[in-house]
Amino acid sequence: MSQQTAIQSLQEQRLLLQMEYHTEKEAFRKQTEAMGIGRKVKRGDAWYPLRVGESHYNSLNQMTVEVFRTTDQDIEHNFEFGKPVMFFFLKEDDKGTKSVRYFGFSGTVSYVDGDRMVVVVPEGHALDIQSSERPVGVQLSFDETSYRTMFDALDRVINAKSGRLAYLRDLFYSQTPAQKFSFDALSFPWLNKTQEAAVNEVLRAKDVAIVHGPPGTGKTTTLVEAINETLMRESQVLVCAQSNMAVDWICEKLVDRGINVLRIGNPTRVNDKMLGFTYERRFEGHPDYPQLWAIRKAIRELRKRRKGRDDNFHQKLERLKARATELEIRINAELFGEARVIAATLVGSASRLLEGMKFSTLFIDEAAQALEAACWIPMRRVGRVILAGDHCQLPPTVKNMMALKAGLGKTLMERIVENKPECVSLLQVQYRMNDAIMHFSSEWFYGGKVKTAEAVRQRHGILDYDIPIEWRSMTPEVRDATSADTSETPEDAPAPGGEEFVGESYGRINRSEAEETLKVLEEYFTKIGKQRILDEQIDVGVISPYRAQVQYLRRLIKKREFFKPYRRLITVNTVDGFQGQERDIVLISMVRSNAEGQIGFLRDLRRMNVAITRARMKLIILGDAATLTRHPFYKKLYEYIESLK
């Protein structure tokens, strides 16, 4: 069979992305039709009822409306910058049956801070929400924009006949060696040898370089150093990542180095420091902005005052619009001219603000979590690309199983790693974990190449003579002895007792294991000493692969009096939610427990790699060994943990 050309492979990618698009759109349609508002609120996909605040025009001259969440404030919501939303109200018919009615427009999240959200809405529609006689709610909508942007990017790269984009496309899909500059290696004494080598490889790359950063190896530190050093040679670079959170994280580190960053889009982690380098805040802070705002106001008032035929109307309007455009161009020229780093999500890099801009270098952080199509979005603006991430950790999310099996989940980073191993720099010294915690991950995922820094290797655990890793097996006897609290049962959940399926995209739950998880944590806290935990600020991560289990654990912790003094030190989240984070103590509730040995998406070992590498000093796994150890990975992990006793 002849090998596919780059264009054929990308055409196939487009078909697979089309399948994913239809799957997600259909799932959203069914969900919208079938799922009650209560369920959407519990899932974090809706706020209801809202308190509707003021409306105003933002710096991009878009109408925005402010809304506030008034109930269920303990639920972690899924609203973030750039996501599309729909507003709704409940209508009651003659029989007293309530049904959801949507307003005839959609909006986009501009800003979220806790229970306050600012939404961009079409001109004139803010009043529809503000004047509604019925309580109003807001829910996430299907994200057409991201898919449209990815399709456009794929079409552009498929159709490229010449130029840098066509060159990079053909290079990435072949085994042709990437070009490099040749110069003596620079010394960075504050980095370790593998970090130093990685920075030098980035500087030498004419086409592409990859920084492969296993857990705790200082990938961000290395990337920041590489960006800083690149800026010694280039006036400006483009930095992207798949998620807003990943963009925020790298931006914060760059700002700490004193680098002038301009963030396109609003941050997820909202604080003054983060907001200070956003485009919107900088634009509004420009000395010319008050004048621009006054002109825009005059334009709106002129349109409102227009009566019948007015010969001067168009002349006045065009004069004002020309002046507004002139000021906008001037402000943007200054903001973009001063910035050394332009930062955005991959989809956000398609912003009209970047129209016509070119960059010598593009840095993509967390590239192993991004669909290939998304990575091509900013590629049309650049000469070379540096990818950083770890393809042995979280993969991109793909919901269509056929598309996943056919290769949609294969990232551009993985493709280049396969075709151009000489472009990959593996960071090999980790600074996060006790050596015993890292050892298994290093052997299974990284060929034993990742070693623990001496300072961390010598670091004792929280307790003297403590075993760094434990596996608490949820045997039938333990399950039977554990009294499960059924008062917090999610809708449609079956009776307690082992593993239970709750619903699509909500996952599975194991109440007895949740109870045991908190019991184990309580025991460990008692061993450490309550005051010591508070004095030393010992923090804890409670992780589960399943969202239903996470929400159940959160409710249990909230109700349990014992944990009241420590709640701010305890984070409960999914594996995906813990990507890039670390804690002193980590407990993992595995959930799966059945006679057939079915473990579902626990087979995605990359997710498990994330879970087992979050703990600095103590890792406790709670799971039914009889179910899990039928899989070779979990069998090996269980045997390794047992050997430490």
Side-chain angles (χ1 to χ4, degrees):
M1 190 175 109
S2 62
Q3 197 170 353
Q4 282 187 318
T5 66
I7 289 174
Q8 287 169 333
S9 296
L10 284 160
Q11 287 169 334
E12 190 177 275
Q13 282 281 310
R14 198 187 193 288
L15 287 170
L16 297 176
L17 188 65
Q18 197 83 40
M19 288 165 64
E20 176 72 359
Y21 165 77
H22 288 302
T23 296
E24 204 168 334
K25 193 170 184 178
E26 182 61 15
F28 177 79
R29 186 189 65 78
K30 286 180 178 174
Q31 202 182 82
T32 300
E33 290 175 0
M35 192 181 291
I37 292 301
R39 284 288 298 277
K40 287 177 186 173
V41 169
K42 297 291 183 200
R43 286 163 52 93
D45 294 340
W47 289 1
Y48 180 81
L50 297 173
R51 177 166 70 82
V52 182
E54 295 178 355
S55 59
H56 68 276
Y57 287 89
N58 65 11
S59 59
L60 298 173
N61 206 27
Q62 299 164 318
M63 172 60 75
T64 65
V65 63
E66 191 178 32
V67 296
F68 298 86
R69 179 164 61 165
T70 59
T71 60
D72 301 285
Q73 286 148 323
D74 59 322
I75 293 172
E76 190 171 327
H77 64 77
N78 300 315
F79 293 94
E80 63 174 68
F81 170 80
K83 288 198 172 183
V85 296
M86 299 185 295
F87 288 92
F88 64 85
F89 59 88
L90 297 184
K91 189 175 181 181
E92 196 171 320
D93 62 17
D94 298 337
K95 297 176 182 176
T97 306
K98 289 183 178 177
S99 59
V100 180
R101 293 286 186 270
Y102 293 98
F103 287 85
F105 61 89
S106 58
T108 308
V109 177
S110 173
Y111 177 90
V112 189
D113 184 11
D115 298 315
R116 174 179 173 263
M117 180 158 62
V118 178
V119 181
V120 175
V121 295
E123 186 80 37
H125 285 292
L127 192 61
D128 297 350
I129 306 162
Q130 291 169 318
S131 61
S132 174
E133 293 176 1
R134 298 183 178 91
V136 174
V138 65
Q139 70 167 63
L140 288 170
S141 182
F142 179 66
D143 191 358
E144 289 272 1
T145 305
S146 293
Y147 277 105
R148 198 161 53 243
T149 308
M150 284 193 284
F151 286 129
D152 286 347
L154 284 175
D155 289 340
R156 189 177 289 108
V157 72
I158 288 167
N159 295 324
K161 301 290 188 261
S162 60
R164 198 64 187 166
L165 187 62
Y167 172 79
L168 291 175
R169 173 196 68 203
D170 296 338
L171 180 72
F172 295 165
Y173 274 83
S174 72
Q175 292 185 342
T176 306
Q179 296 184 70
K180 293 186 180 185
F181 297 104
S182 62
F183 53 77
D184 292 339
L186 300 176
S187 177
F188 303 95
W190 50 93
L191 302 178
N192 68 47
K193 292 299 178 190
T194 58
Q195 290 173 332
E196 186 179 90
V199 173
N200 276 294
E201 285 304 306
V202 167
L203 297 175
R204 287 193 185 106
K206 275 188 182 180
D207 301 323
V208 63
I210 287 177
V211 179
H212 182 187
T217 54
K219 171 180 67 67
T220 303
T221 301
T222 307
L223 196 59
V224 167
E225 197 63 52
I227 292 169
N228 188 57
E229 213 47 46
T230 301
L231 289 170
M232 303 287 183
R233 297 153 176 77
E234 299 171 18
S235 59
Q236 196 173 63
V237 299
L238 179 61
V239 175
C240 294
Q242 170 68 12
S243 68
N244 278 295
M245 194 170 288
V247 177
D248 293 347
W249 181 249
I250 189 76
C251 283
E252 199 166 339
K253 299 301 175 188
L254 290 166
V255 169
D256 287 344
R257 284 293 295 267
I259 296 169
N260 189 331
V261 175
L262 188 63
R263 165 79 153 97
I264 308 301
N266 281 325
T268 303
R269 297 159 56 185
V270 180
N271 57 48
D272 286 342
K273 180 181 175 182
M274 297 297 292
L275 283 170
F277 53 82
T278 61
Y279 168 81
E280 208 163 314
R281 185 61 64 90
R282 293 266 183 91
F283 193 96
E284 288 171 351
H286 193 277
D288 288 343
Y289 181 72
Q291 190 184 349
L292 176 61
W293 187 87
I295 294 169
R296 285 171 171 176
K297 188 180 177 185
I299 290 171
R300 289 192 291 272
E301 286 175 352
L302 184 65
R303 282 171 171 157
K304 282 179 189 174
R305 288 200 311 267
R306 186 186 184 188
K307 291 178 183 175
R309 187 176 174 84
D310 184 351
D311 293 334
N312 293 324
F313 171 78
H314 289 293
Q315 289 179 343
K316 288 177 186 172
L317 186 64
E318 289 307 312
R319 267 200 313 273
L320 287 169
K321 282 167 74 175
R323 181 62 181 143
T325 303
E326 185 190 321
L327 281 170
E328 264 187 69
I329 291 169
R330 191 162 79 201
I331 295 171
N332 281 337
E334 284 187 30
L335 293 181
F336 283 95
E338 291 166 359
R340 303 297 311 279
V341 170
I342 308 297
T345 61
L346 291 165
V347 171
S349 70
S351 168
R352 66 169 181 83
L353 293 169
L354 299 182
E355 206 55 54
M357 292 187 70
K358 296 288 182 185
F359 304 86
S360 295
T361 306
L362 162 68
F363 291 87
I364 302 180
D365 196 14
E366 301 296 357
Q369 284 182 259
L371 289 172
E372 177 173 348
C375 289
W376 285 110
I377 297 168
M379 214 85 75
R380 65 182 168 126
R381 305 188 190 280
V382 304
R384 66 179 193 136
V385 60
I386 312 301
L387 299 105
D390 182 9
H391 49 286
C392 302
Q393 293 190 65
L394 285 181
T397 302
V398 177
K399 293 178 180 174
N400 184 296
M401 288 300 109
M402 285 178 65
L404 182 64
K405 287 174 183 173
L408 184 60
K410 186 169 184 174
T411 63
L412 187 62
M413 179 171 166
E414 284 178 277
R415 196 176 301 286
I416 299 169
V417 167
E418 279 180 17
N419 289 335
K420 297 182 182 15
E422 72 280 3
C423 293
V424 181
S425 299
L426 175 68
L427 306 181
Q428 296 179 28
V429 183
Q430 72 88 14
Y431 300 87
R432 175 185 298 161
M433 291 156 271
N434 179 295
D435 189 52
I437 297 173
M438 183 64 207
H439 182 80
F440 181 82
S441 175
S442 176
E443 291 295 324
W444 186 279
F445 293 100
Y446 308 104
K449 290 178 180 176
V450 180
K451 307 298 180 186
T452 304
E454 203 56 39
V456 179
R457 182 187 290 274
Q458 299 304 320
R459 184 172 64 194
H460 293 294
I462 297 169
L463 295 168
D464 292 336
Y465 312 111
D466 195 12
I467 301 167
I469 318 179
E470 291 179 48
W471 187 313
R472 299 288 187 99
S473 187
M474 293 296 296
T475 61
E477 292 77 25
V478 172
R479 285 197 299 271
D480 294 342
T482 307
S483 59
D485 180 354
T486 59
S487 63
E488 298 289 342
T489 303
E491 297 101 317
D492 307 324
E499 158 198 333
E500 306 151 26
F501 181 69
V502 178
E504 288 297 334
S505 70
Y506 201 76
R508 294 176 187 267
I509 192 170
N510 190 326
R511 294 187 191 84
S512 54
E513 188 175 284
E515 291 280 355
E516 184 68 10
T517 303
L518 297 198
K519 183 183 167 189
V520 169
L521 183 58
E522 195 172 316
E523 287 171 0
Y524 199 66
F525 270 17
T526 306
K527 275 187 188 176
I528 297 168
K530 298 177 185 178
Q531 197 55 46
R532 185 184 168 194
I533 292 165
L534 296 172
D535 291 346
E536 296 181 18
Q537 297 289 290
I538 295 170
D539 52 6
V540 179
V542 182
I543 303 176
S544 181
Y546 293 97
R547 195 168 172 181
Q549 188 80 343
V550 165
Q551 292 200 7
Y552 187 63
L553 282 161
R554 282 176 182 163
R555 288 195 291 267
L556 288 183
I557 288 172
K558 194 176 179 182
K559 290 196 316 180
R560 200 71 54 90
E561 192 65 28
F562 178 89
F563 293 109
K564 194 173 179 181
Y566 317 115
R567 279 177 197 155
R568 61 187 175 83
L569 296 170
I570 302 172
T571 308
V572 187
N573 216 329
T574 59
V575 179
D576 295 47
F578 263 100
Q579 172 77 353
Q581 298 188 44
E582 57 188 68
R583 297 290 187 275
D584 293 322
I585 305 165
V586 169
L587 294 88
I588 308 171
S589 173
M590 303 292 281
V591 175
R592 300 308 298 260
S593 177
N594 54 73
E596 298 77 29
Q598 296 293 322
I599 62 170
F601 87 137
L602 294 190
R603 285 195 195 88
D604 187 345
L605 303 183
R606 291 176 295 180
R607 271 194 166 76
M608 231 43 246
N609 188 29
V610 174
I612 64 175
T613 55
R614 300 304 98 192
R616 299 186 193 102
M617 290 184 279
K618 181 73 175 183
L619 173 64
I620 304 172
I621 297 171
L622 293 103
D624 182 0
T627 300
L628 294 164
T629 56
R630 297 190 196 186
H631 189 286
F633 172 84
Y634 296 102
K635 185 173 186 289
K636 198 79 175 172
L637 177 60
Y638 184 78
E639 288 170 354
Y640 169 70
I641 294 170
E642 289 296 297
S643 74
L644 298 174
K645 291 182 177 176

